[in-house]
Structures are given as C-alpha cells and as structure tokens.
Amino acid sequence: MTTPFPFTAVVGQDDLRLALLLNAVSPAVGGVLVRGEKGTAKSTAVRALSALMPTLDVVSGCRFSCDPGSPDPGCPDGPHGPGAYETRAARMVELPVGASEDRLVGALDIERALSEGVKAFEPGLLADAHRGILYVDEVNLLHDHLVDLLLDAAAMGASYVEREGVSVRHAARFLLVGTMNPEEGELRPQLLDRFGLTVEVAASREPDQRVEVVRRRLAYDDDPAAFAARWAGEEAAVRARIVAARDLLPSVRLGDGALRQIAATCAAFEVDGMRADIVMARTATALAAWAGRTDVLAEDVRQAALLALPHRRRRNPFDAPGLDEDKLDETLEEFGGSDDDDPDPDPGPDGPGGGGGGQPEPDDAPQGGDDTAARPEAGEGGQPQPSGAGEQSAVRASEPFRTKVLSVPGIGEGAAGRRSRARTEHGRTTGARRPRGALTKLHLAATVQAAAPHQRARGRSGPGLVVRRDDLRQATREGREGNLVLFVVDASGSMAARQRMSAVKGAVLSLLLDAYQRRDKVGLVTFRGTGADVALPPTSSVDAAAARLETLPTGGRTPLAAGLLRAHDVLRVERLRDPARRPLVVLVTDGRATGGPEPVALAGRAARLFAADGVASVVVDCESGPVRLGLAGQLAGELGGTAVTLDELRADSIAGLVKDVQRRAA
C-alpha cells in the first residue's frame, strides 16, 4: 500500500488545510471545493486528509458500512441486530470523471430480477463512501448524469437504484470533496451550491517557500515511509485535535449576535436561498471548536464568510469568485455588538488560513477614443471597404441578452449536454435494440414481446414469464448533446466603430453564456490585418473565451478567407481528438473581404470547404446603416448555413420563431 504524503507536511495553502480540517471536525459543513491552477497540491492535501479522519465502528460483513449503534433499517445487507462489529479507518473513495452510472450507484442484475425474482445488487462507489470521503478530481468535467446522481444522494443522504419497478436503496452520507482547474470549465450552479466551502489555491511566489516545497517532495519520493515517519508526531497531534474538537462541538454556543452577523452578511452579498446562512453557522461553530472555544466570535463569522460565500454570491458566470473584504468588515461592524451575550462583537483580524476572499475587480473601462466609424474606401466590385489604417483599443461588450437556440441538425452521439439532439444514455425512450455488452437500460415492453412467443416451447406452467438472455432488449434513448461552438470573429477595421464593436462583443458574450449553460466546448478564431489567429483553442472554459473577447482590439483589413481557413484547420484537428463532438461554426462578420488578390472569391472558396464537410454554421450579420449590401447572407449561402442579424439573435425579438441552423440544401 502506498504511503500517503503527510497532511502536516504540505507547505502553505493555509485556507485549503483549514477548510478540510473544519469538515473533519464537523462533516455537516458540507464538503469542500478546491479551485486552482495545476500543480498546487490540491489532490495531495485531499488524499492526506483521510489519514487524519477518526476511525469508524461498522457492522461486521456489511458492505454498506452501517453503524452498529444505529444501523440503517433499509440496508440491503440487513436487517442488522446486535452482534459483532469491527473498527476501521474512514475510507476515501475516488470517483473517476469517466465512471459509468453503474460504477457510481451500483449495478442491479435485471436478468436475475426478471427470471428469478431476486435482487442481486453489487454496491457502487456511493456505498463505499458512506461515512467517509467521496473525492472527485476534476469535478467540473464530470458528466451531467453523474452530477445529477451526486446531487440526489447529497440531498437525501441515500442512493436509489431503480430499474423497471425493481429498486434498491441504501444510506449514502459522505464528505464531498472536489478539485478543479477553472481554466477547464466551470461547475453547474446546482452542484456548486452543494459544496459547503470553497477555496482558491495558487502556487506561492516566494522563492523560499517554493524551495521548501521541492525539498519535501524530493525527500518523500526518495523514501515515502521514512518521510512519513518524520511527520508522525505532527500527524498524531492534529488527529488528536480533531477528536477533541469533535467532542467540544456540541458545547459550542452560537449567540444571537453571531447569527445576526451571519444573516446580515448573506443578505449584503445577495446570496440565493438559505443554504449559505446554514453553512456559515456550522462553519463558524466548527471554527470555535477547532480553536478550543465554546463561544462563536466575530472572527469566526468573518472566516466562515470567506470560505462559504465566494462561490455563492450572485454574479455573472464569467466573474471571478471572491468577496469584497472591506464590505464584509463594514457589515460585521454594523451588525456587531447588539447582543450582550456575544463576548466579542468586534471583527477580529485574520486568523490562520484567513484571507480566502478575492479583491474587487478593477474598472477596466476603456480610456480615450471616440465612437467613430472607419472611413470606407472603394474595394473589389466597387464595394465600400474599411480603410483599416490603424488599430483601435479594445472596447467593452454591451449588456448580454438571452439568445435564440442555435443547434446542429440531425442526431449525434457526442458528450451529454443541452444543445442538439443525440442518442444518449438518458432521455426519452425512442426504441429498443439487442444489448451490446452489459444491459444498462431495459426496455420492458420489447423484452416481454421478444419472450412471449417462446413460452410454450420453454415449458412455462406458472404465472411467471420465462425470460432468457436473448430476449433482453436495451432501450434506445434520445437526449441532448454538447457541441463544439467555434466562434470566428471579424475584428477588422470595418467593425471598428466603437458602438458597433461593443454590440458585436455583447452578442458573442451572450452566445458564450448560452454555451456555458448548454455544456459546450468553445473556441475563438479572430481575423484582421493580414491574417487570422486562434485566440483560444477549443476548451470547456467558456469564461476563458469571454476574457479573450474582452481584450480583443480592432483595426486593419478584412482577411475573411484567412479566418475561415484557420477555423477549418481548427475543426480538422479537433475532429481527430474528439470525433463524436459535432461542431457549430458561428461566424460574426459583416461579410466584407479585403486584402490580397481576389479576396471575395477566395473567401467564397474557403466557405465552400465547410459546406463540403457538412459543418453546421450560422453567420451573425453585423452590417449596419441605411445601405446594406447583404454580403453576410451571400456568405451564409456559400457555407451552407443561415444568417441572422444582431436583432434577430435575441430570443425576445419580433423576428420570428427560434432559428436552428438549417441543413445544407440537398
């Protein structure tokens, strides 16, 4: 068995260690979400925590870790009467991102259930994690249907496996710990709120601390057992402190003054619902017990806010998490001191591991510049073209809005999402087929229909149906998939009017918000001047695309063909990496093309490459003014897609019904 890295040997990361220890003291806090860049000891610290957890008494032979003092009356291995029990360490169970539903909740043998009438159940990871730790690395990449199962288990404290009327239930109460790199995408809001605390981690910029990290890691790699032995004393001390804090926890008093501060803080930061208030109260109580006190102080409330609120405050999905600590201190001071029973109403200084909140974002409004349009000039065919003489600084996006749904035609088989139709494991049943491998979703009617003609030949004499393996039918289901939405944005001089570019950025930002909600991957290609750039390779981090969009400057000529060719190349590479994910190209332009010989004809040939590959596309027509050339519509025809104006893109526009991407004309 591999010797884990000692928890007390982790250098720095005070907030991370404190949040994990508070959950060890009071599992009711609700778990920890650890956000941060790669290589910051996120996984190391979480795995090390399991060695500090107090031991458990479990019923001997129970696969569901029932407590002998209060066994689960509905345990599949029960009922449990008074008898033998054993003591073991709390488990830390890791949930792989690519795990199947059966691996998470357990597998029920449908064939035996139908033919023999027995519940043959193999427990899953939720059963293994009961009364322990469930750890999900890269939790933001977890499939939606697994997230739904986790949410249900966390809310009810139990896991249910139901297949065509046959069901199994068992207790599943666990400490949920997740780690994620925000660059790879954000979490669904429902799962985000389920984590009691959140911590932002980053590598230290202090040379001495970085040296110590390397020194300890090398020593551990050379001899893990000897390194762990050096820290055994510190580990034992922390373990004993956790036990003492757990014993003290029921005696901790949460006064009315502290409760008022908690309620006022949650109201001041406009968090949704009441879960934040409850989590803050439990966290402040655990902090007091960890410090060896029986009264909750203002400093406990402050630290609890820094750990429990950053991921809950009402914000745009693209905003960085964090709290305005000045506002927090003002709120605590305003609502402190009104309860005589509160021994210390003044907000105290940051304790160990404090300072988990972020700073307010600076005002990044553009400085200088007039809202003037680029001067047109004569181009090919007498078309007005932008001068593109100079580059203008980036402008801010206008307010985002709810967009119409753009979807890829046909039925795919990509990753689960919410955009286009797809054959999935979850969704409405559309038919049946013979199972390939293990049966996961039984189509009962089709199974009965397949078995019925053979009952006499099989010697059926009773009321039961004689079912054999060949009779079983797998249900085919249709749901929604996430797509690769590749934005190709014209940043040339023809788009350089500041009000116009602000509206364009607002439209792209709105589409990015839509992609965030529909669980898409996104990419960003921009073109201007003499060529095109991949501003963001395809990624699940939609907020990274929003950040690149915000700093996008404009100016220069319009190399439309270069932008299309670069986008085509991005799709070619991505098709090799993820062939099941279907692309949707969103071209944001006024349709003009300048620079080089025959730019319009070259752009047309590049567009026809997408049509030949059957790539779904939509052109967002940014042309404005009383005189419109209709170039974007012509370009959409070359792409085999459709064109919408900025106004038509709005879901509440009068332009008509929701526009899906049209199939290329047969």
Side-chain angles (χ1 to χ4, degrees), residues 90 99 104 142 162 172 205 255 257 375 454 475 494 506 516 585 590 607 630:
L104 178 62
L142 200 63
E162 299 191 8
R205 298 299 184 257
R375 185 180 75 250
H454 308 290
S494 66
Y516 167 81
V585 173
D590 57 8

Side-chain angles (χ1 to χ4, degrees), residues 253 255-259 261 295-298 336-337 339-345:
R253 177 178 174 278
D256 288 343
L259 279 172
Q261 287 183 319
D295 289 294
V296 174
L297 307 182
D339 185 359
D340 294 335
D341 294 331
D342 193 344
D344 184 7

Side-chain angles (χ1 to χ4, degrees), residues 391-459:
E391 178 179 307
Q392 295 194 15
S393 60
V395 298
R396 300 192 64 172
S398 62
E399 284 298 315
F401 51 85
R402 189 166 63 91
T403 67
K404 292 184 177 182
V405 180
L406 304 174
S407 62
V408 178
I411 301 179
E413 296 181 343
R418 295 185 181 84
R419 183 171 296 279
S420 304
R421 294 173 58 197
R423 285 180 285 270
T424 62
E425 288 294 321
H426 298 268
R428 64 184 181 90
T429 301
T430 58
R433 60 172 174 81
R434 291 182 181 273
R436 305 185 191 105
L439 178 72
T440 56
K441 298 292 182 182
L442 178 74
H443 194 296
L444 184 58
T447 299
V448 172
Q449 186 177 6
H454 308 290
Q455 297 305 295
R456 180 176 297 179
R458 293 173 184 175

